[in-house]
Amino acid sequence: MYTPEMLRLIEVVEQTREKRLQETFPRLTAEEKTNLLRSYHPDYMEGAMRPLKIGPNAGEKLPHAYVDLFESRSMIDADGLSLDDIAYDVDVLVIGGGGAGTAAALLAAEEGADVLLVTKLRHGDANTMMAEGGIQAADKENDSPALHYLDAMGGGGFYNIPELVRALVNDAPLCIQWLESLGCMFSKYPDGTMNTIHGGGTSRKRMHFAHDYTGAEIMRTLRDEARNRGIKVVEFSPAVELIKDERGQCAGAVLYNLETEQFLVARAKTVIIATGGSGRLHINDSPTTNHYGATADGLVIAYRAGAKLIYLDATQFHPTGVAFPEQIVGQLVTEKVRGLGAQLVNIDGEQFIYPLETRDAVSSAIIRECRERQKGIPVPSGYGVWLDSPMIEIIHGKGTIEKELPAMFRQYIRFGINMAEQPILVYPTLHYQNGGILINEFAETQVPNLYVAGEASGGVHGRNRLMGNSLLDIIVFGRRAGKNAAQKAKTVQLGKLTLEHVRRYNEELAKQGLGQRVAPILLPDYRGKISG
Amino acid sequence: MTAEKKTVSIYVMGKQSEVPYGVTIMKAMEYAGYRFIRGCGCRGGFCGACGTVYRKPGNFRLKVGLACATMVEDGMHLTQIPFYPANKAVYNLEALEPTLGTLLKYYPEITRCLGCNQCTRICPQELPVMNYIATAQRGDIEATAHQSFDCIMCGLCASRCPAEIVQYNVGILARRLYGRHIAPRAKHLAERVDEIRAGKFDAELDRLMQMSKEELQKLYNARDIEQ
């Protein structure tokens, strides 16, 4: 429920709406965008980072929350834990039960591998489930994988690894067709043509969606398929350390049963990390859109095993997190709201940024509007700007919001705000880990037999991911990882299992006076607080 | 009394805690010292991990909500139902026919529906659950698919059903049958897949991959944007 003061300010937004409907705010030039990011993007905030002292990326500056993790010691006693007592012995071990992990497991099983999927929470508990807006693929006549390539590179600041982007855009239509064949209910016209719209930074309307439950629809479909195929799944059992063999190949993982508090050894010929992102580390003390389990576990264990990280210093703040009501601050307001025509508006009812610039730019512009120009709207947690959602009903017809954005509508109506009639208040929120573990186009890391897919990986999105390229990423690289790991497993000969790399990492920490904390943290700790 | 200072009493499985007024059940439980393993997922109403049932003093009604989206109330007695055993049919979607026969083969119990409407009453998404079971009984797969689309599979419907139907699994079978066998395929998508398999875009992608950042940037800034 809005306060009387907010209701008064809404009148200002309503007064300018008719004029704004005719108005297109000019796009940023390349130079303006660079300056905006340098001055206002949280990545450039003084004091937000420090150099990492250990491991393959030693010397590089990362946000404190990551450095804290990488400079933490292992949960396990590398000398005391017996690796002879093997609880699971499989061809392919998939760590993570979100979209990337499940796609990987399905493809690995299709290749004939004996697959085990382990996950920290329930199968399907992942950021995938929460992805609302859509999935990109260049499958319309006026579009091409080359245009998609260009958009993704530009969005990422041209830092993206070309081979990875090529894989992403080339596989995109194949992946949409795979999902269609699994019965995903994409929003379509009566003749079967996909309903597609723009996302921030797209040059063609290539955002496919399933209302605003796109990720949920993909996740539950993949999970149902995994259950139909009889893929073995162990829930509430995160991997807390990778296991290698004496030749330095990745050879499995130590699992930790969260409920019984036992450590269990899983031996595997190949391992796929699909543990997702890290929003629950609350980088810069920011609220986050992320799932409860997004604590970067996979990064920690892969790093100790010698995998290299890339662009982990680039954090994506989603421009439109909930700024009000207080109960749901930080939660996602899908970019699809802007894709359908809603503009961003300041306290005077004026636009201040083209609504579909890339996310880094829109976030920076909102921060500038509130911080420097003092044109934000006061809310209990600070300030926000208006997202003029009723415009959607004017542009596309009454009832569009309930039909196309049912999750958003529900999120607000629960708190007495009808976003079809009233604009909503938004502010940037921690959303996505742009970087991660470096992979190649086969989803391989530099550690033999270790693969990574999805948000845990880095390189494909450069320093800023576009909307709709994450759901795409998890399917493209999940499938690639699953297929390649299964094929590789056919030729792998494992030697004696060892945790020597963990022992050495702990030694190095001790030498430098580090290792007071323990990681991975597995779950955020909100006890005694009102948080998250 | 100001909003910041006001607290309420809640009873988590009978144990009393004093928590701030105006927060969700999930945040209130954390404030009270709970660290979730089960019963917490996306924290945003999408995953169905935090289905919660509760009663308020002096009211016989059993109430329900997602812990992440329901506010605490004074005197609320609650428990989470993070898991409920369910019957899930195993099938090969590709080989199925989108017919009433298929629904009845895998979930014959849908005919046992008593029409009590408890499933609809308990649904935290406020879906017409009993209606979509009725459409399933008639073999209207399209209607079942659409009416169940916003389901988050929290399982509360199944926990209340006297006919022991697992409504949400019926829903996903209907949706997958609809998506795979009833909704028309996207022709433009099939054509694009053929073009990609034939290597139509390879040369252009090769060329882009070889370009310097400056060349790419020039192309990017000059690209036309679909209106």
Side-chain angles (χ1 to χ4, degrees):
Chain A
M1 223 72 122
Y2 284 124
T3 64
E5 174 62 11
M6 287 169 179
L7 289 173
R8 193 186 64 74
L9 291 170
I10 286 174
E11 286 173 23
V12 180
V13 178
E14 286 167 347
Q15 278 158 17
T16 61
R17 189 174 290 145
E18 205 169 318
K19 184 172 126 275
R20 282 185 287 105
L21 275 161
Q22 313 303 324
E23 170 186 296
T24 305
F25 199 85
R27 284 167 216 270
L28 297 169
T29 64
E31 197 191 342
E32 283 167 347
K33 181 168 160 179
T34 306
N35 291 338
L36 181 64
L37 295 182
R38 286 272 149 79
S39 307
Y40 297 97
H41 196 279
D43 281 355
Y44 296 95
M45 247 174 60
E46 194 98 23
M49 302 192 197
R50 72 177 193 265
L52 178 60
K53 289 184 180 157
I54 185 167
N57 290 65
E60 289 178 26
K61 273 190 170 178
L62 291 180
H64 296 297
Y66 289 122
V67 178
D68 287 348
L69 280 192
F70 296 128
E71 293 181 354
S72 295
R73 67 180 192 278
S74 177
M75 267 179 81
I76 58 174
D77 171 7
D79 295 318
L81 185 87
S82 165
L83 298 180
D84 299 329
D85 191 6
I86 292 170
Y88 306 100
D89 202 359
V90 294
D91 295 328
V92 178
L93 173 67
V94 180
I95 304 169
T102 310
L106 284 169
L107 267 283
E110 219 169 279
E111 288 292 317
D114 180 19
V115 185
L116 174 69
L117 186 151
V118 299
T119 186
K120 177 164 62 183
L121 300 166
R122 301 170 309 162
H123 188 190
D125 273 338
N127 282 334
T128 301
M129 195 64 102
M130 314 176 69
E132 296 160 14
I135 176 166
Q136 286 199 43
D139 60 11
K140 293 275 175 89
E141 210 179 334
N142 70 344
D143 201 358
S144 79
L147 284 170
H148 190 178
Y149 182 96
L150 206 54
D151 287 346
M153 289 299 274
F158 304 95
Y159 290 99
N160 322 47
I161 296 174
E163 288 76 12
L164 298 182
V165 183
R166 186 198 181 125
L168 184 82
V169 301
N170 191 73
D171 286 10
L174 282 58
C175 288
I176 300 288
Q177 197 181 47
W178 182 59
L179 294 171
E180 188 189 45
S181 77
L182 290 172
C184 260
M185 277 175 62
F186 287 109
S187 297
K188 289 178 172 180
Y189 294 103
D191 70 348
T193 301
M194 293 279 183
N195 192 349
T196 54
I197 61 170
H198 269 303
T202 55
S203 63
R204 294 291 181 274
K205 293 179 180 174
R206 71 169 78 89
M207 198 66 60
H208 302 61
F209 53 87
H211 303 287
D212 59 352
Y213 284 102
T214 314
E217 171 64 356
I218 291 172
M219 187 68 246
R220 64 198 183 190
T221 300
L222 294 179
R223 181 176 59 193
D224 193 61
E225 188 64 10
R227 288 174 180 166
N228 284 344
R229 304 257 186 105
I231 288 169
K232 279 176 290 182
V233 175
V234 181
E235 297 182 323
F236 296 96
S237 297
V240 296
E241 217 61 81
L242 291 172
I243 298 171
K244 288 185 165 185
D245 74 359
E246 58 206 343
R247 289 173 235 165
Q249 308 180 101
C250 192
V254 178
L255 313 179
Y256 178 65
N257 183 326
L258 282 174
E259 294 176 307
T260 65
E261 302 186 359
Q262 290 166 302
F263 292 107
L264 295 165
V265 173
R267 180 165 69 181
K269 291 171 180 157
T270 52
V271 177
I272 300 169
I273 287 182
T275 50
S278 51
R280 290 284 154 193
L281 300 181
H282 296 290
I283 290 156
N284 283 343
D285 294 323
S286 175
T288 182
T289 60
N290 279 198
H291 193 278
Y292 186 53
T295 53
D297 307 347
L299 301 188
V300 175
I301 62 176
Y303 194 65
R304 284 185 190 140
K308 202 166 160 32
L309 307 167
I310 184 167
Y311 305 145
L312 202 54
D313 56 332
T315 301
Q316 182 165 87
F317 289 80
H318 195 291
T320 58
V322 174
F324 185 87
E326 185 70 3
Q327 290 88 353
I328 50 170
V329 162
Q331 280 175 22
L332 181 63
V333 176
T334 174
E335 193 158 317
K336 195 179 167 195
V337 177
R338 281 173 287 140
L340 288 169
Q343 295 169 347
L344 289 160
V345 173
N346 65 18
I347 195 166
D348 298 329
E350 301 159 338
Q351 290 199 78
F352 53 91
I353 184 79
Y354 177 70
L356 291 175
E357 295 284 353
T358 54
R359 285 178 176 170
D360 47 359
V362 180
S363 290
S364 302
I366 295 173
I367 292 168
R368 178 179 64 187
E369 201 65 15
C370 293
R371 233 181 252 166
E372 186 194 274
R373 298 179 177 168
Q374 301 283 316
K375 292 206 171 179
I377 294 89
V379 297
S381 56
Y383 21 50
V385 296
W386 296 112
L387 180 57
D388 195 9
S389 47
M391 291 180 71
I392 295 172
E393 301 272 295
I394 298 171
I395 297 168
H396 300 282
K398 215 167 150 45
T400 304
I401 288 183
E402 266 201 85
K403 182 164 164 277
E404 289 300 336
L405 300 161
M408 288 297 93
F409 184 79
R410 195 174 269 124
Q411 171 168 301
Y412 278 97
I413 206 77
R414 275 176 176 141
F415 296 98
I417 292 169
N418 181 346
M419 67 180 283
E421 290 169 6
Q422 295 171 315
I424 52 180
L425 283 163
V426 296
Y427 195 76
T429 177
L430 176 51
H431 187 55
Y432 189 76
Q433 172 190 297
N434 288 307
I437 304 160
L438 177 65
I439 56 166
N440 65 15
E441 66 269 38
F442 308 107
E444 295 168 324
T445 67
Q446 289 165 329
V447 178
N449 303 348
L450 177 64
Y451 298 74
V452 182
E455 192 170 349
S457 76
V460 63
H461 306 297
R463 297 185 62 84
N464 175 61
R465 173 181 63 81
L466 294 186
M467 170 194 181
N469 274 352
S470 184
L471 281 178
L472 179 58
D473 171 6
I474 61 168
I475 304 298
V476 167
F477 289 96
R479 283 167 52 92
R480 282 181 176 236
K483 189 173 178 196
N484 294 331
Q487 284 175 353
K488 180 74 189 287
K490 289 174 187 164
T491 63
V492 170
Q493 295 292 322
L494 286 182
K496 191 174 161 41
L497 302 187
T498 168
L499 288 168
E500 182 59 21
H501 65 286
V502 177
R503 208 179 51 75
R504 266 188 282 120
Y505 197 93
N506 278 344
E507 267 174 22
E508 178 62 27
L509 285 171
K511 222 185 284 171
Q512 299 204 42
L514 304 170
Q516 283 77 15
R517 297 185 185 85
V518 171
I521 61 167
L522 303 179
L523 297 171
D525 190 354
Y526 299 135
R527 286 174 290 187
K529 298 182 230 172
I530 295 290
S531 183
Chain B
M1 202 181 274
T2 60
E4 305 91 85
K5 279 192 185 154
K6 201 171 162 193
T7 62
V8 295
S9 259
I10 62 167
Y11 297 81
V12 179
M13 293 181 280
K15 189 187 276 180
Q16 189 261 352
S17 290
E18 201 71 12
V19 298
Y21 168 81
V23 301
T24 60
I25 292 172
M26 178 165 288
K27 292 185 185 185
M29 284 179 68
E30 288 173 335
Y31 179 85
Y34 292 84
R35 192 184 193 185
F36 293 105
I37 293 176
R38 290 185 185 263
C40 173
C42 74
R43 305 171 75 92
F46 286 87
C47 81
C50 64
T52 302
V53 292
Y54 62 92
R55 280 194 162 96
K56 291 191 286 182
N59 191 334
F60 71 91
R61 287 269 184 213
L62 185 71
K63 305 270 238 173
V64 63
L66 299 173
C68 69
T70 308
M71 298 226 268
V72 288
E73 293 178 62
D74 199 31
M76 177 185 245
H77 281 252
L78 65 90
T79 188
Q80 291 194 297
I81 306 186
F83 179 86
Y84 203 84
N87 165 40
K88 145 89 182 113
V90 167
Y91 43 84
N92 174 3
L93 184 73
E94 200 182 327
L96 298 188
E97 303 259 344
T99 59
L100 174 61
T102 298
L103 293 179
L104 291 176
K105 178 180 168 198
Y106 290 106
Y107 296 109
E109 64 272 26
I110 58 174
T111 59
R112 301 177 68 215
C113 175
L114 307 173
C116 71
N117 212 27
Q118 283 301 314
C119 50
T120 300
R121 290 184 51 131
I122 202 169
C123 178
Q125 292 286 86
E126 298 176 3
L127 301 183
V129 185
M130 190 182 80
N131 280 14
Y132 81 64
I133 293 301
T135 56
Q137 286 172 337
R138 295 200 297 271
D140 188 344
I141 287 168
E142 181 167 354
T144 307
H146 287 299
Q147 287 183 28
S148 69
F149 186 82
D150 294 359
C151 170
I152 53 173
M153 303 179 85
C154 67
L156 287 172
C157 49
S159 80
R160 292 290 278 165
C161 182
E164 295 155 299
I165 299 167
V166 180
Q167 291 86 342
Y168 63 91
N169 278 340
V170 178
I172 194 167
L173 174 57
R175 292 194 299 275
R176 294 193 65 195
L177 284 170
Y178 176 77
R180 162 91 199 191
H181 295 294
I182 297 176
R185 294 296 178 97
K187 213 168 132 244
H188 59 92
L189 174 62
E191 286 166 5
R192 182 52 47 85
V193 166
D194 289 342
E195 288 172 345
I196 286 173
R197 294 225 162 99
K200 184 179 170 187
F201 305 102
D202 289 353
E204 201 179 358
L205 286 169
D206 284 340
R207 199 166 56 81
L208 288 172
M209 284 174 67
Q210 298 311 316
M211 281 188 187
S212 68
K213 183 183 166 181
E214 288 67 33
E215 287 173 297
L216 271 178
Q217 201 153 18
K218 226 166 120 187
L219 268 184
Y220 179 78
N221 292 336
R223 78 206 201 288
D224 72 297
I225 295 186
E226 180 180 1
Q227 290 306 308

